Amino acid sequence: MKPSSHNDLLFFMDRSRELPELPHSIQASLIVKSLDQTFLIKNSRTILGRKGGDVVIDDKKVSEQHAVIGYFDGFFFLVDLNSKNHTYLNGEDVVEAILKHGDTIRIGETTMEFHVQGGVVSSANVWPDSQPSVGHILEVMLGTNRKRIDDTTGIMISESPPEILDTPLVGITLHVRCSDMQEREFKFLQSDVLIGRQHGDLPLHDPDISRKHAVVETFGDGQVYIKDLGSTNGTFVNNKKVRRVALDDGDVIRLGSTHLEIRLGEALSVEPPPDPRATALAEAACVRLQVVSGPILGKSFETRAGVWTIGGAEADINIQDPEITAIHAKLHVSDHKIEVEDLGQPVATCVNGKKIKRCVVDSGDVIRLGHTELKIAAALSEDTSLNSAIKSMGYKLDNN
């Protein structure tokens, strides 16, 4: 799911730009039962806050502008506005989320129910799936709204928010230090950098990082922000847990057990070429797991060097087995060996029929988790090791 960008959110929140009212066929409201109050939602942008909002909440723990409810093309969505005490949807702390009838929103100490009647979700072919992300809704919504007819020429032109008009992109360098003390540098010249566990613009091999963990955004006069995307273990900047915060040159971001020092520079003309050693790592260590029994019989998974989690939907290797917990085991793949680690769940991990805590496995071995058996159909060989790949490119290895 595409996260919303800070630029799109700024444009959406700019009250100097009028957004359309809700279609007449839709009636939406927020019901505060404790106060016996009902707030009608009439526009496609409704700000909730203690002061200056469309819906004013007399609650000391509510920020002046706490959250916003938006509407576009049949979908309502909720976005937290970097509030001090956060926004909760059905008891879950959220940064942004799709709203549906009957949802419970809590800001500060005030709880309200979201009610909506009438209206039909558009069938327009603009969404990536049946329920798009807030980021995709804003992108499509504002892509339409940013166009207007010039009063002088009569020509349709595109607008940009003043904060980002004609502003060059800032070059971002992220110096990454992993838990095993390996260090790498990545350079970017783009408005958003998505960071996740083996996903996004910067995929990291860290089991404590969520699939889509955080996004670094550039906008305005060289301003750079980081936003947590509702990760399991949180995002930290200079050892302080954050949800959305501005970054300065030299700040240290921590995601899981991985540290990233950010360096901000002038706009870059080109992105640097990929590191050939990284390509060697990606191509050298490869393990294929074939499901030979269980609910997803016949499916296969291919992994490369790194640590891979095995379990439910949040795991790198999603088994879809009711006997398996969310993060059940780990697969450690390096250039010279493969290991399976049991994480102490009620249902044990077995290799070739024996319970294990952590053991080395090889081609042909069978890993069993719950009702699922995975056979290692292809493993490392001497010819495809990382060392061989690096040596073949003329690099010297430090064996000390």
Side-chain angles (χ1 to χ4, degrees):
M1 289 275 186
K2 176 183 175 63
S4 65
S5 74
H6 201 88
N7 291 338
D8 281 346
L9 188 56
L10 283 174
F11 198 95
F12 179 64
M13 291 297 295
D14 186 351
R15 288 190 169 186
S16 68
R17 293 174 174 81
E18 292 186 3
L19 294 177
E21 294 186 352
L22 294 183
H24 295 303
S25 60
I26 296 178
Q27 296 85 44
S29 61
L30 290 171
I31 300 175
V32 186
K33 292 183 178 180
S34 61
L35 301 177
D36 194 24
Q37 281 186 296
T38 298
F39 299 95
L40 299 180
I41 297 175
K42 299 180 179 180
N43 297 306
S44 54
R45 175 186 57 214
T46 302
I47 299 172
L48 316 180
R50 194 177 73 255
K51 295 180 181 178
D54 302 301
V55 174
V56 178
I57 306 294
D58 186 15
D59 183 333
K60 292 181 179 180
K61 293 188 177 181
V62 171
S63 299
E64 290 191 8
Q65 291 193 335
H66 195 108
V68 61
I69 293 175
Y71 171 85
F72 180 69
D73 203 40
F75 289 95
F76 283 91
F77 55 92
L78 174 70
V79 180
D80 179 80
L81 298 177
N82 203 25
S83 63
K84 181 179 179 181
N85 293 314
H86 303 187
T87 298
Y88 295 83
L89 180 65
N90 300 324
E92 182 180 350
D93 186 355
V94 297
V95 175
E96 53 190 44
I98 301 294
L99 282 174
K100 61 183 185 298
H101 176 74
D103 279 346
T104 300
I105 301 169
R106 178 168 65 82
I107 59 176
E109 295 181 339
T110 302
T111 300
M112 56 195 82
E113 283 187 8
F114 175 72
H115 285 212
V116 61
Q117 293 180 333
V120 178
V121 173
S122 171
S123 60
N125 188 27
V126 296
W127 308 122
D129 49 40
S130 60
Q131 181 168 291
S133 66
V134 174
H136 200 85
I137 290 176
L138 281 172
E139 186 178 74
V140 176
M141 176 185 189
L142 300 178
T144 302
N145 191 260
R146 284 174 182 163
K147 294 181 174 64
R148 65 177 176 82
I149 302 296
D150 186 89
D151 295 333
T152 305
T153 64
I155 299 174
M156 181 173 283
I157 62 174
S158 294
E159 292 184 310
S160 293
E163 294 86 353
I164 61 173
L165 186 64
D166 298 327
T167 302
L169 292 175
V170 178
I172 297 175
T173 299
L174 291 171
H175 185 91
V176 180
R177 186 176 74 252
C178 302
S179 57
D180 58 5
M181 302 309 293
Q182 290 186 351
E183 298 187 14
R184 291 283 310 283
E185 265 193 3
F186 299 87
K187 295 179 183 293
F188 299 93
L189 180 60
Q190 56 197 68
S191 58
D192 302 317
V193 178
L194 178 62
I195 307 172
R197 188 180 71 246
Q198 298 161 357
H199 289 78
D201 304 299
L202 179 53
L204 298 173
H205 294 269
D206 184 334
D208 296 322
I209 291 177
S210 298
R211 281 178 176 271
K212 294 181 180 179
H213 196 109
V215 61
V216 177
E217 307 163 325
T218 65
F219 74 104
D221 299 321
Q223 297 180 71
V224 178
Y225 273 66
I226 187 167
K227 177 172 68 176
D228 182 83
L229 299 177
S231 65
T232 301
N233 294 317
T235 297
F236 297 79
V237 175
N238 300 328
N239 293 321
K240 182 179 179 181
K241 191 173 185 179
V242 301
R243 303 180 81 209
R244 184 188 288 124
V245 71
L247 293 172
D248 293 321
D249 186 65
D251 280 347
V252 177
I253 304 163
R254 179 169 63 80
L255 312 175
S257 54
T258 302
H259 293 76
L260 307 92
E261 182 178 348
I262 187 165
R263 291 295 180 185
L264 309 178
E266 299 297 327
L268 303 176
S269 56
V270 293
E271 293 188 40
D275 186 342
R277 284 164 290 187
T279 303
L281 177 64
E283 295 177 352
C286 178
V287 177
R288 185 174 294 106
L289 300 175
Q290 183 75 37
V291 180
V292 294
S293 71
I296 55 172
L297 175 65
K299 189 169 183 177
S300 63
F301 303 90
E302 185 172 296
T303 67
R304 297 189 182 276
V307 180
W308 300 75
T309 54
I310 307 174
E314 275 297 306
D316 302 312
I317 301 172
N318 179 8
I319 302 301
Q320 301 173 21
D321 186 323
E323 293 293 317
I324 294 177
T325 54
I327 304 294
H328 198 99
K330 291 181 182 179
L331 186 71
H332 301 260
V333 181
S334 69
D335 64 300
H336 61 283
K337 68 178 177 180
I338 312 161
E339 292 181 287
V340 177
E341 178 187 1
D342 180 74
L343 297 181
Q345 303 300 337
V347 177
T349 301
C350 299
V351 173
N352 299 329
K354 296 181 179 180
K355 293 181 181 180
I356 59 99
K357 290 187 176 179
R358 182 165 178 157
C359 75
V360 176
V361 292
D362 205 345
S363 182
D365 286 342
V366 176
I367 305 166
R368 182 176 181 86
L369 306 96
H371 299 300
T372 302
E373 289 186 331
L374 304 100
K375 185 176 182 179
I376 301 178
L380 307 176
S381 68
E382 190 172 341
D383 293 336
T384 60
S385 71
L386 177 61
N387 289 354
S388 298
I390 293 178
K391 284 179 180 178
S392 69
M393 297 184 298
Y395 288 90
K396 292 183 178 180
L397 298 174
D398 184 2
N399 296 318
N400 293 330

